[in-house]
Amino acid sequence: MRALAVEDDPRIAADLQAALTAAGFRVERTGDGEEAWFLGDTEDYDIVVLDLGLPSLDGLAVLKRWRANGRTMPVLVLTARGTWQERVEGIEAGADDYLPKPFRMEELIARARALVRRAGGHAAALQEVGDLSLDTNRMGVAIRGVPVQVTALEYRLLAYLMQNRDRPVPPTELLEHLYGDDDAREANALEAVIARLRRKLGSGVIGTRRGFGYFLESA
Amino acid sequence: MRALAVEDDPRIAADLQAALTAAGFRVERTGDGEEAWFLGDTEDYDIVVLDLGLPSLDGLAVLKRWRANGRTMPVLVLTARGTWQERVEGIEAGADDYLPKPFRMEELIARARALVRRAGGHAAALQEVGDLSLDTNRMGVAIRGVPVQVTALEYRLLAYLMQNRDRPVPPTELLEHLYGDDDAREANALEAVIARLRRKLGSGVIGTRRGFGYFLESA
DNA sequence: CCCCGATTGTCAGCTTGCTGTCAGGTTGCC
DNA sequence: GGCAACCTGACAGCAAGCTGACAATCGGGG
């Protein structure tokens, strides 16, 4: 289990390293944004703990550049204060979880473990249902093996449906997952995304059960 | 699947019980800390939903005493507000997951299921009475194993009858459950739904006891 | 700092199928 | 027999969901 800790405050960084090590991770650590970006882009980590307030290159920017390059390791973001905007920005940048400062090391460890478990320990990078396959490492989508280009939002929608492939997911839940309940969107926004996806993927991939929700067709 | 719901607000408690039951759990419920502790210590539950603000014995104290006694069932904690102190305290006391109030029932159910699954008790949310079976996960209905398509309203009706399989449910109660007493419907609306369901499911599934209500036939 | 293209939310109008109502029938109970 | 509870088929209204167009916004590059 390799972990990367990106944190510029030396005291917190030391604590972080100690706690992660105690939890059984092999820890590398940096306080510099550029270096963090380089490490995350070239090395394979099971979990990254990323502080947003960094010198030289902002944490959010680092995260975005990783995601843009197709890096999908779980990232736990530390925000200075749990402001609403930071949360949204972080989600959009591709963070997997949050922790507002100040926090308890125990909670951080618990969440980090949960993320690693959820990521399946780098195991099944390819998930399939019906004609659709998701490559969770490259954030890639393919229909019957033919790659299809999708946007970040569309990908997150597909990933969520994939994660809940055994049930129809109600629109309310999808809206909440995609945007967070803080900033409301019209229900129609979701329908628009679905429509665009269906045009790209063809019919017979995303199904609707009127009154229940959306699901990935398995046959 | 047995669940224990510990919640002192009667309204929330009722919702909780309804949602968990609908999700296929056998639910026991208490609003008292001492009783909660006793139940959790002596009975085997697949999941416990624990509100922190309790009279007589604080939720956190209950949780700690369970853990001290070696009880390891998954516990989902409801916190009044998602303050980080409360979350940290909860983690230290041995909670497995959190939900800040207010929350969506769907999310609670999803998390409860995740916890149960993680704990190894594969949640086969299948409820049966007579020839009828409800898969509360897929929101699917089957007669003698043969899938039948039902609408959302029809499904909710069946689920409610399933919850109350041991008694006939009076039409007034069904109307209130399906629509809420705000917007009134003619009693006949219900009869129409019943009729449509009977056509789909065949006879011998939904029974009527004149003057008492509807019920699922058990033999 | 501005420009340009890609992404994404909103709007309007449409399709589809669910569902409440109505009218009339049936059943059980006094 | 009469009344009230309940059943059922038909049908129209309506709401959930779909789609194309457009505008706002975002993000990257100069």
Side-chain angles (χ1 to χ4, degrees), chain A residues 16-39:
Chain A
L16 213 48
Q17 180 158 32
L20 284 168
T21 305
F25 290 93
R26 244 165 61 229
V27 184
E28 287 156 58
R29 149 187 161 190
T30 175
D32 179 76
E34 287 290 355
E35 187 184 357
W37 177 77
F38 175 78
L39 286 173

Side-chain angles (χ1 to χ4, degrees), chain B residues 51-184:
Chain B
D51 185 12
L52 285 195
L54 290 179
S56 98
L57 184 55
D58 177 52
L60 271 184
V62 172
L63 180 52
K64 276 182 202 157
R65 276 168 65 184
W66 283 337
R67 297 311 192 205
N69 277 21
R71 311 291 305 171
T72 59
M73 66 285 191
V75 173
L76 173 55
V77 162
L78 306 179
T79 72
R81 282 202 318 250
T83 68
W84 68 271
Q85 286 102 338
E86 271 192 334
R87 273 183 303 157
V88 169
E89 284 173 350
I91 281 193
E92 283 176 347
D96 297 277
D97 199 358
Y98 274 85
L99 212 49
K101 293 187 195 175
F103 56 88
R104 283 184 183 267
M105 275 300 160
E106 293 122 50
E107 181 164 15
L108 182 137
I109 295 299
R111 295 203 181 210
R113 281 208 178 110
L115 284 183
V116 170
R117 192 166 31 229
R118 206 197 292 166
H122 260 274
L126 206 67
Q127 297 180 281
E128 311 192 24
V129 162
D131 289 343
L132 176 75
S133 57
L134 281 201
D135 185 329
T136 56
N137 207 29
R138 287 168 207 265
M139 313 276 241
V141 175
I143 289 290
R144 251 182 272 253
V146 182
V148 178
Q149 281 266 334
V150 300
T151 70
L153 184 70
E154 288 164 354
Y155 179 84
R156 281 201 293 146
L157 172 48
L158 283 179
Y160 194 75
L161 290 181
M162 184 70 83
Q163 269 179 64
N164 302 86
R165 65 187 78 177
D166 52 343
R167 69 182 174 104
V169 182
T172 52
E173 185 180 338
L174 277 173
L175 281 167
E176 186 180 332
H177 173 73
L178 290 182
Y179 306 112
D181 28 28
D182 318 315
D183 64 330

Side-chain angles (χ1 to χ4, degrees), chain A residues 60-72:
Chain A
L60 268 185
V62 172
L63 180 52
K64 275 182 202 159
R65 276 168 65 183
W66 283 337
R67 295 313 190 204
N69 277 19
R71 311 291 304 171
T72 59

